[in-house]
Structures are given as C-alpha cells and as structure tokens.
Amino acid sequence: MAAVVLAGGKGTRMKSQHHKVLHAVAGKPMLWHVLVALRAAGISVERTVVVVGDGAAEVQAAVEGLFGAGVYRFALQERQLGTGHATLQAQGAVPGDAPTVIVAYGDTPLLRPETIRGLLAQHQAAGAQVTLATGHLDDPRGYGRVIRAHGAPPHGGEVQAIVEERDASANERGLREINSGFCAFSGPWLWSRLPRVRPAPNGEIYLTALPALALAEGTGAATLVLDDVFEAVGINTRVQLAEAEAILRRRITHRLMDGGVTLQDPATCYVDAGVEVGMDSVILANTHVSGSTTVGRDCLLGPNAIIRNSTIDDRSRVTASMLDGAVLATDVSVGPFAHLRPGTRCGRGSSVGTGSELNRSVLGPGSKMQHFGYLGDATVGAGANLGAGMITCNFDGQDKHPTGVGEGAFVGSGTLLVAPVTVGREALTGAGAVVTRDVPDGAKVVGVPARQIGWRGERGAAGGPSAAVEREPGASDAAGAADTVEADA
Ligand code: UD1
Ligand code: MG
C-alpha cells in the first residue's frame, strides 16, 4: 500500500497568505491530521508522498518541523493543473510495487483511520480498480456529484461518472451524493490510465475522470458511502475550518473521558490533538492544553489554565495560570495567576503561588514561592523558601546573569537578588535586602546593599561571627525585620 496526499492547490477561498493545509484545527495543521490518520491506518510513512506546489517550501518546512526531515517524501507539482495532474507528479516517489494507492487531500483533517481502513476493505472486497468515498449532503454545492445508472443492480446504481459542479447540468447539480475526493486505486491501473486523461474544459486534469474510464473499460468503480461525508470532504473556507474544529474537539474530549479523565465542562475544555492526559486527572472549565503537552494521573487543571508544550507529572495542580514549556514533577502546585515560561522546572512537591513568574529557572523539590515573585535564570535548591515579592534582577540592560539559591535557604520578603549572585545553603536574607554579593552558606544578610550581620538561627543582631561585619546606622532595624520574617515562616 501507498498513499498520495495532495497539497498543491492554492486554496484561495481561505483568503489567507498561508497555505490552506497549514491552517490549524485542534492546534495542528490540517495536513498533520491527514498524515497521522494515514499512519494510524497502517500506511507507512516511507510509502506516503505529499504533493506540494503552491507554497511548496512553506508546506515542506512545516511537515519537516512536525515530523522531522526526511520522514515523508515530497513531489513537486510546478503548476496547479488539477488533482489528476497532481497525483501523477507523485508517481516517481511512490514505490512502484504498491498494488494499492490511496489518494487523500491535505485539507481533510477529520479523516479517521477507521474510514481509511474501511475504504481499503471495500476496495479489496469489490476487486475494483478505483473505489471512491462518497456521501450525501443536503447542500452539495461546490462538490463533484456522483452520477449513477438508473435501475436495479448489477448495472443499476453503478457509478457512471463524477461530474464537477462547474461542468454539471442543472439536473446533475440537483444530485446530493457527492464525491469526497478520498479514494483508492489499483496502483498499476492508476499509473497507466492517468496519462490518458484529457483536460477538462477549464484545462485541468481531473482525478475524478477515472471512474468514467473504469466504467468504459467494463470494470467500473466501487464506492464506500459514508454516513457522515463531511469527514472526508475538504475544508475550503474559514467557516468550514471552524466546523471542523468543533467536531475534532468533541472527538478529543470524548477520547479523554473514555480514557478516564473528568472534564467539568467539555465545551470549554480546549485540548489539542496529540496531547496526552492520564487517568483520574480532572480538567476544570475554560482550560486550554496545547502543543506537545503531556499530563500525568490525578492532576487538577484549571479553571482558566493555559498550558502549552509542558510536561506535568502525577498529582500536580495548575489553577488559573499560564504554563509554556514548563516541566512539573509530581505533587507540584501552581497558581493562581502564575506564569511559567520556557525552561521552567518545578521539583517534586514545590509550589508557585499568586502572581509569580519563572523563566529558564529551576525550583528545587519542596521549595516554595508563594506570592508575587520573579525567577529568571535561577536555580533554587530543595526546600528553599522564597518570600513574598522576591525578585531576581537577572538582566543588567545588556546581558542575562544566573542566580543560585542554595538548599533550605530563606529569602526574605521583597529581596532583590542582583545577578550574578548566589545565596548559600540555609542562608537567610532580610526583608527588602538588595543582595549584590554572594551570601555564604548559613549566613544572615540584611540591608541595601545587603551585608552579613550574623548567622541564620542566631537571635539578635550583635555578637557571634557577625560582630566582625561592618555595620551601618539603622542596620539593626533591618536585622530585627529579618528575625521577624524568620519567625513568621
Ligand atoms: C475536489 C474534487 C471533487 C470533490 C472535492 C471534495 C476533483 C477534480 N474534484 O474538488 O470531486 O467533490 O474535491 O472536496 O478532484 N490540488 C493539488 N494540485 C492541483 C489541484 C488541487 O495538489 O492542481 C490539491 C489541493 O491542494 C487540495 C486537493 O487537491 O488538497 C483538492 O483540490 P481542491 O481544489 O480543493 O478540489 P475541489 O475543487 O474541492
Ligand atoms: Mg476542496
């Protein structure tokens, strides 16, 4: 078996500068859905050829971006001379020994693997040279009509021809059975007959001319009549794109629920194709989960969460927050109103609370950052407590610099860590400290700029190792504040 996916046409009805097949449905380009369905139906990627033409570079780059370079083969249709012409361009790239060749259109994101297998089964059972997927539409406008012979079988009902709307008579336009465009051929028959197809009045070589040719040869065309032909017809307009989006999202939410995920309100649960969610996870209203995200078991997402390209391990919760390229270990709590940006990793049992932002930063296991903080280019060890409003000043106007916070450190409220800087293990910074120099393990620093006044755990400001540290007027007040913060913790 082999497959040819046509994606050469312009798709002018989308009114877009971008290629039609690259418009997204459920977060993935239409063409992605077609290629994934073909693969799931058992047609190997090495035997699947994508015909590109208009916008060829954009389409090829998108496919390679999604699946990797060299995975799919491409054939170039230099001029868009019709679907038959486009198919013929793929001949050189399709394995010559393929007895069956499926032709699908790149703009059919709803096509399901079951339907592909159904078409192949029908094609085999009928022993036909060509088998078409057709169906009935109340409003068949714009589609090719299936013309059948009158009378009883064997000849009554037989497909006589496909007539394109633009070439159809008024009578033919009244027919409601349409050609979906999705079809299967005997490979040798396809490659020998296609070059014989004469151009239609508009100069195009129609793939849909082949059923009439099969009839003339006496073999005829078989059909698979679909209950819901919308699945297999192409998207041509933005309105149809939105309809396809609604159908695909419904399929995804049903698949999730069948897999043991609770959706509080499926209608406002926007989960992209390709996202995995583990059993017993709960997704609350108005939650978007997109891209390459995977979610473990027993997680709680939402309400109002936006999660992109992130990995969330078991039992973690994300409330009213935005995650983009973040990795959460087990039992992590995020939100409300947190923003985790690419490169964020939150260790087991850590928590990020109200109004906090993390960017290219690691929060160690069990560490807490509960209120209004910013971590940029920071690495925080396990069990650290980052006080309300603590901020890494990681950008000096020109360059970004790293910040380290050691295991078990206590960063007081409103501390500014001016990078590059490190706060040692078990060290403590007082409220409002502006830390411009590294803080030794276990040290207590306060003030602006922060100075060491002692060691964590010591009561009072004077005495001990900190007696040697130079003091400024008022520093003892700040030290008092630091003690208060620690006591509150
Ligand atoms: C086609 C069918 C029509 C069917 C309808 C279903 C033909 C002649 N007509 O019409 O019977 O009812 O689909 O949606 O086949 N393409 C190329 N190169 C070209 C022309 C098209 O690669 O030169 C690709 C397009 O990118 C698209 C597909 O073929 O993916 C179908 O082309 P489109 O222009 O949408 O055909 P329809 O007019 O919809
Ligand atoms: Mg079309």
Side-chain angles (χ1 to χ4, degrees):
M1 252 181 321
V4 175
V5 180
L6 304 185
K10 284 191 165 53
T12 49
R13 285 167 283 181
M14 289 296 280
K15 309 259 167 57
S16 174
Q17 299 191 32
H18 304 290
H19 199 286
K20 174 164 82 172
V21 299
L22 298 183
H23 283 265
V25 181
K28 293 285 196 299
M30 292 199 250
L31 182 55
W32 180 92
H33 292 279
V34 178
L35 295 175
V36 166
L38 287 167
R39 190 177 60 191
I43 300 167
S44 75
V45 295
E46 304 92 64
R47 301 174 83 85
T48 301
V49 178
V50 182
V51 178
V52 290
D54 191 61
E58 188 191 11
V59 175
Q60 184 165 347
V63 170
E64 292 181 346
L66 289 162
F67 297 98
V71 174
Y72 284 97
R73 300 182 178 201
F74 294 88
L76 181 65
Q77 183 193 28
E78 283 183 17
R79 292 172 60 209
Q80 280 60 71
L81 300 175
T83 48
H85 178 261
T87 306
L88 197 53
Q89 309 312 302
Q91 186 180 1
V94 172
D97 60 349
T100 304
V101 177
I102 281 203
V103 177
Y105 295 166
D107 62 358
T108 56
L110 299 176
L111 193 59
R112 291 173 307 148
E114 300 90 287
T115 305
I116 298 169
R117 285 192 288 263
L119 183 78
L120 285 168
Q122 176 75 343
H123 184 66
Q124 245 94 69
Q129 306 291 6
V130 43
T131 304
L132 310 164
T134 73
H136 295 81
L137 283 183
D138 290 336
D139 180 5
R141 274 177 300 175
Y143 295 107
R145 308 296 204 283
V146 180
I147 315 292
R148 292 186 184 264
H150 292 296
H155 296 298
E158 196 173 20
V159 175
Q160 306 284 291
I162 305 297
V163 177
E164 294 304 314
E165 164 121 343
R166 62 177 79 83
D167 308 322
S169 66
N171 263 351
E172 289 165 340
R173 284 183 192 197
L175 297 171
R176 294 196 303 113
E177 187 184 2
I178 62 131
N179 169 40
S180 74
F182 174 51
C183 49
F185 296 93
S186 139
W189 188 84
L190 174 69
W191 304 126
S192 63
R193 300 313 190 274
L194 255 186
R196 298 190 203 161
V197 174
R198 302 269 56 91
N202 69 353
E204 288 190 13
I205 308 284
Y206 292 165
L207 188 61
T208 48
L210 290 174
L213 197 64
L215 182 83
E217 290 180 359
T219 55
T223 54
L224 174 71
V225 183
L226 303 174
D227 289 338
D228 182 7
V229 72
F230 190 64
E231 170 185 346
V233 301
I235 302 300
N236 294 321
T237 66
R238 304 254 183 182
V239 170
Q240 292 170 339
L241 188 71
E243 285 165 8
E245 174 84 23
I247 292 169
L248 256 186
R249 282 209 291 108
R250 208 157 43 238
R251 277 190 206 161
I252 291 168
T253 52
H254 283 206
R255 176 176 61 77
L256 289 173
M257 292 186 281
D258 288 344
V261 177
T262 295
L263 305 184
Q264 180 190 38
D265 179 16
T268 65
C269 170
Y270 306 84
V271 177
D272 273 9
V275 168
E276 297 299 331
V277 183
M279 205 164 60
D280 288 321
S281 283
V282 176
I283 304 182
L284 300 178
N286 199 30
T287 292
H288 304 243
V289 190
S290 65
S292 58
T293 299
T294 61
V295 179
R297 295 182 172 204
D298 280 305
C299 292
L300 180 63
L301 309 181
N304 303 337
I306 301 172
I307 300 166
R308 275 203 293 255
N309 302 328
S310 296
T311 303
I312 299 176
D313 211 334
D314 299 347
R315 297 180 303 281
S316 286
R317 333 157 50 108
V318 178
T319 307
S321 292
M322 163 108 187
L323 270 62
D324 183 4
V327 178
L328 309 188
T330 53
D331 301 291
V332 173
S333 168
V334 175
F337 318 121
H339 186 187
L340 308 191
R341 296 168 57 193
T344 295
R345 281 166 38 213
C346 296
R348 183 166 35 82
S350 61
S351 64
V352 178
T354 321
S356 294
E357 174 175 337
L358 275 73
N359 194 15
R360 297 182 303 272
S361 291
V362 178
L363 189 61
S367 286
K368 305 210 176 316
M369 183 185 191
Q370 296 289 42
H371 329 275
F372 317 111
Y374 173 63
L375 288 182
D377 302 297
T379 305
V380 178
N385 190 4
L386 308 179
M390 72 84 35
I391 281 170
T392 56
C393 311
N394 61 321
F395 184 51
D396 62 11
Q398 248 166 5
D399 298 306
K400 305 269 170 71
H401 301 283
T403 298
V405 176
E407 205 176 297
F410 185 98
V411 179
S413 296
T415 294
L416 306 184
L417 301 177
V418 183
V421 77
T422 301
V423 175
R425 301 177 56 198
E426 302 291 336
L428 178 147
T429 73
V434 176
V435 180
T436 55
R437 281 184 294 173
D438 289 351
V439 179
D441 291 350
K444 180 195 289 189
V445 302
V446 298
V448 181
R451 291 163 196 279
Q452 186 173 358
I453 56 161
W455 300 95
R456 178 157 174 204
E458 282 175 356
R459 285 283 142 194
S466 61
V469 174
E470 50 177 316
R471 307 284 306 271
E472 278 177 355
S476 59
D477 290 344
D483 283 344
T484 307
V485 170
E486 187 171 25
D488 278 349

